[in-house]
């Protein structure tokens, strides 16, 4: 009965009636009061809310035509420290279905690829490439890798400079490269966002873009930024200027993030103005954008690690990392990958104290992540040889490193370094069927990639010119059309 009489009466009115407080008259709800309350569900015009534009240039990648198949008889290096003699790799619908010894069943109707005497590995991943942004032919009109106009250009994206018809993609594929991480150059403290791509022929950048791969941002410490901007009589001109520039940028990004967080929480006032530069660094702070840090010297890597703690973010990978061997335990403890060369050194002061054992010594630490990278349109074609040189140097230093482990430097560890290890980098059931069949042990200088599969689709075949895409820019170049021993006419 009481409920019936009070139906529709507000709690505030009941309280006022009981207490007889005249002041309660001001607490009743009015249309004006309702309108004045901030809304947390406010919608901004298209393009003004960073939360609704996380991937404005989405991947349109589609695998090439493919069939179910099994590679049999090869020595299989899985990328997970396994070596299987006379192994079998079964691929179904573009995914690894099974990996095992000769007893592994091959489903009826599958094409069988005979690979006795050959080797099978995951597709090679180059975590540091400028293909497409510094394409061939190397002319100024196509030199789009460095927006060297300000020390902080975190707002630019390498994918907006990427030219998909760069002939370098074809030659990299002939070297077994199935995935590339394309970065801006290193002129700036913050060079801009990187993009991970599938190494397939495409007319558009979106047709190459690796689905669901995280965005990255290129940072550069050391000589490059201080030389570029010091030469213009502006900051940074020194190492301390570099550090001040990074810190100022992260302070601005923290402030930007706080303003957006507050506005989303209470909805008061106008939304913050979108800032593409701070937006990228805000992604670093929330962990959605992975830092790829060009850094040679150990002392500078140590500074960058401390700065990451200062502002509450993590570094995913140090690139070039010539002196990584000097602080290998710290890199492992912080879960940071080091992407390195084996034989590049001495071309500037910060590259002077290099050793060929660098990758092996980094790798020797528990929980480490050693990677071999290229940063070069030619070296990317022979990353297996660069890894072989690192393996040889490590063994000469007395380290016991197996080939089945070292293959991870250009496959599984490389996938981890750019945030795609859940999708590729190893021959494990459920992962993308990125597979290379080598003519010989891939750690031999005589080995060549015979067939390359991306998502289970044959994208390169050394014996079949139909699977060797050729760019107009390659026609008539030195060596074009020449045949090598045991290679079909026209084959690379």
């Amino acid at each position: 009965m009481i409920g019936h009489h009070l139906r529709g009466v507000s709690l505030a009115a009941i309280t006022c009636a009981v207490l007889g407080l005249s002041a309660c008259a001001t607490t009743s709800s009015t249309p004006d009061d309702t309108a004045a309350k901030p809304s947390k569900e406010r919608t901004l015009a298209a393009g003004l809310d960073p939360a609704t534009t996380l991937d404005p240039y989405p991947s349109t990648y589609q695998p090439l035509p493919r069939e179910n198949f099994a590679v049999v008889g090869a020595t299989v290096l899985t990328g997970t420290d396994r070596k299987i003699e006379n192994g079998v790799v079964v691929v179904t619908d573009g995914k690894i279905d099974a990996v095992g010894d000769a007893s592994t069943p091959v489903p009826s109707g599958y094409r069988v690829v005979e690979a006795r005497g050959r080797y099978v590995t995951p597709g090679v991943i180059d975590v540091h490439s400028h293909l497409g942004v510094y394409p061939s032919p190397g002319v100024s009109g196509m030199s789009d890798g460095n927006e060297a106009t300000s020390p902080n250009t975190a707002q630019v994206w390498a994918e907006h400079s990427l030219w998909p018809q760069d002939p370098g993609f074809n030659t990299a594929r002939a070297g077994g490269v199935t995935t590339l991480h394309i970065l801006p150059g290193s002129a700036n403290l913050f060079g801009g966002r990187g993009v991970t791509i599938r190494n397939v022929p495409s007319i558009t950048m979106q047709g190459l873009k690796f689905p669901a791969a995280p965005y990255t941002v290129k940072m550069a410490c050391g000589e490059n930024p201080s030389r570029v901007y010091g030469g213009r009589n502006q900051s940074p001109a020194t190492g301390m200027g570099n550090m001040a520039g990074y810190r100022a940028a992260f302070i601005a990004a923290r402030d930007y993030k706080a303003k957006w967080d507050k506005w989303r929480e209470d909805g008061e006032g106008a939304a913050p103005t979108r800032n593409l530069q701070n937006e990228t660094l805000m992604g670093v702070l929330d962990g959605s954008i992975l830092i790829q840090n060009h850094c040679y010297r150990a002392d500078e890597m140590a500074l960058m690690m401390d700065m990451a703690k200062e502002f509450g973010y993590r570094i995913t990978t140090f690139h070039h990392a010539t002196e990584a061997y000097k602080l290998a335990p710290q890199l492992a403890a912080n879960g940071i990958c080091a992407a390195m060369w084996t034989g590049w050194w001495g071309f500037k002061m910060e590259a002077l104290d290099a050793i060929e054992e660098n990758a092996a010594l980094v790798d020797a630490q528990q929980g480490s992540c050693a990677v071999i990278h290229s940063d070069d349109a030619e070296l990317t074609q022979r990353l297996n040889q660069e890894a072989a040189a690192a393996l040889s140097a490590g063994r000469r230093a007395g380290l016991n490193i197996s080939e089945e482990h070292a293959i991870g430097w250009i496959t599984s560890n490389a996938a981890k370094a750019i945030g795609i290890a859940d999708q590729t980098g190893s021959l494990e059931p459920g992962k993308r069927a990125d597979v290379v069949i080598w003519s010989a042990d891939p750690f031999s200088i005589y080995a060549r990639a015979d067939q390359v599969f991306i998502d289970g689709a044959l994208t390169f075949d050394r014996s079949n010119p139909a699977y060797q895409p050729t760019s107009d820019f390659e026609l008539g170049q030195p060596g074009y059309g020449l045949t090598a021993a045991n290679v079909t006419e026209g084959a690379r």
Side-chain angles (χ1 to χ4, degrees):
M1 294 295 294
I2 294 176
H4 173 75
H5 289 299
L6 297 182
R7 185 175 298 153
V9 181
S10 72
L11 181 61
I14 297 170
T15 303
C16 290
V18 172
L19 298 179
L21 300 177
S22 60
C24 286
T26 63
T27 67
S28 62
S29 177
T30 67
D32 288 342
D33 291 336
T34 302
K37 185 178 180 179
S39 170
K40 299 179 183 179
E41 303 297 330
R42 304 170 76 176
T43 302
L44 299 178
L48 298 185
D49 187 346
T52 62
T53 54
L54 297 176
D55 190 17
Y57 307 94
S59 171
T60 60
Y61 165 74
Q62 292 294 326
L64 297 176
R66 62 197 180 195
E67 60 183 329
N68 297 332
F69 67 93
V71 183
V72 302
T75 299
V76 180
L77 306 179
T78 65
T80 61
D81 285 6
R82 289 181 68 199
K83 181 178 184 178
I84 307 171
E85 300 287 358
N86 194 19
V88 175
V89 178
V90 180
V91 173
T92 303
D93 295 332
K95 297 293 182 75
I96 301 296
D97 193 10
V99 180
D101 61 20
S103 66
T104 303
V106 176
S108 176
Y110 279 44
R111 182 169 70 90
V112 175
V113 180
E114 176 58 57
R116 296 184 193 282
R118 298 191 288 173
Y119 280 67
V120 171
T121 71
V124 175
I125 300 171
D126 191 352
V127 304
H128 192 118
S129 175
H130 299 297
L131 292 181
V133 297
Y134 283 122
S136 300
V139 296
S140 61
M142 301 293 285
S143 181
D144 271 0
N146 260 320
E147 181 63 30
T149 55
S150 170
N152 184 354
T153 56
Q155 72 273 15
V156 305
W157 298 16
E159 65 192 63
H160 297 155
S161 281
L162 193 151
W163 185 50
Q165 281 95 70
D166 183 352
F169 292 125
N170 294 336
T171 54
R173 193 181 311 113
V177 177
T178 57
T179 301
L180 300 110
H181 180 229
I182 310 300
L183 287 163
S186 54
N188 305 335
L189 301 176
F190 298 91
R193 294 198 194 191
V195 62
T196 301
I197 65 168
R198 311 297 280 147
N199 193 13
V200 298
S202 177
I203 300 299
T204 67
M205 172 279 296
Q206 293 91 326
L208 295 171
K209 201 170 181 180
F210 197 121
Y215 275 111
T216 63
V217 65
K218 172 76 170 291
M219 290 179 64
C221 53
E223 295 179 27
N224 285 16
S226 57
R227 182 188 69 251
V228 169
Y229 292 97
R232 301 174 187 177
N233 199 31
Q234 68 179 90
S235 184
T238 60
M240 55 187 171
N242 286 352
M243 287 299 294
Y246 306 130
R247 298 175 77 197
F250 279 116
I251 289 169
R254 271 286 173 211
D255 181 62
Y256 181 72
K257 183 177 186 300
K259 288 177 180 177
W260 273 106
D261 289 347
K262 182 179 185 300
W263 185 80
R264 295 194 195 287
E265 176 62 28
D266 61 29
E268 293 180 351
T273 300
R274 191 177 177 196
N275 181 297
L276 296 177
Q277 185 179 101
N278 287 331
E279 188 174 308
T280 292
L281 299 185
M282 183 170 70
V284 170
L285 297 175
D286 68 24
S288 62
I289 296 178
L290 310 183
I291 285 186
Q292 307 289 317
N293 200 156
H294 159 122
C295 210
Y296 287 78
R297 285 171 23 195
D299 59 312
E300 292 186 328
M301 286 185 253
L303 286 172
M304 302 305 278
M305 287 190 282
D306 274 353
M307 185 171 64
K309 294 173 183 175
E310 179 183 10
F311 290 100
Y313 64 87
R314 70 176 300 269
I315 299 165
T316 302
T317 306
F318 282 122
H319 289 244
H320 309 334
T322 301
E323 298 182 10
Y325 64 94
K326 296 181 180 180
L327 73 172
Q330 294 93 316
L331 295 178
N334 284 275
I336 300 174
C337 296
M340 299 158 279
W341 301 292
T342 304
W344 284 25
W345 67 282
F347 47 90
K348 52 183 174 177
M349 283 301 299
E350 62 187 3
L352 198 61
D353 205 4
I355 59 173
E356 290 185 335
E357 300 83 359
N358 194 18
L361 291 173
V362 169
D363 179 78
Q365 301 297 317
Q366 184 70 31
S368 65
C369 176
V371 179
I372 299 294
H373 69 355
S374 82
D375 191 23
D376 182 70
E378 293 186 3
L379 185 57
T380 194
Q381 302 170 41
R382 293 179 289 277
L383 278 176
N384 63 307
Q385 294 182 15
E386 192 76 355
L391 172 60
S392 178
R395 286 175 170 175
R396 288 196 305 271
L399 297 172
N400 183 20
I401 309 169
S402 66
E403 290 185 351
E404 55 265 36
H405 179 76
I407 198 66
W409 299 345
I410 55 174
T411 59
S412 51
N413 282 5
K416 178 182 177 182
I418 53 176
I420 57 171
D422 60 329
Q423 296 195 59
T424 189
S426 58
L427 301 179
E428 296 179 275
K431 289 195 176 182
R432 293 176 180 270
D434 298 340
V435 180
V436 182
I437 303 176
W438 300 88
S439 63
D441 184 337
F443 292 97
S444 165
I445 62 170
Y446 298 105
R448 296 178 298 190
D450 281 346
Q451 284 90 33
V452 178
F453 299 84
I454 299 177
D455 282 316
L458 183 61
T459 54
F460 175 79
D461 188 333
R462 190 170 296 278
S463 65
N464 187 349
Y467 290 93
Q468 300 166 17
T470 302
S471 164
D472 290 346
F473 293 99
E474 295 175 274
L475 300 176
Q477 294 299 310
Y480 180 78
L482 298 180
T483 56
N486 304 316
V487 178
T488 304
E489 180 84 35
R492 297 178 188 282

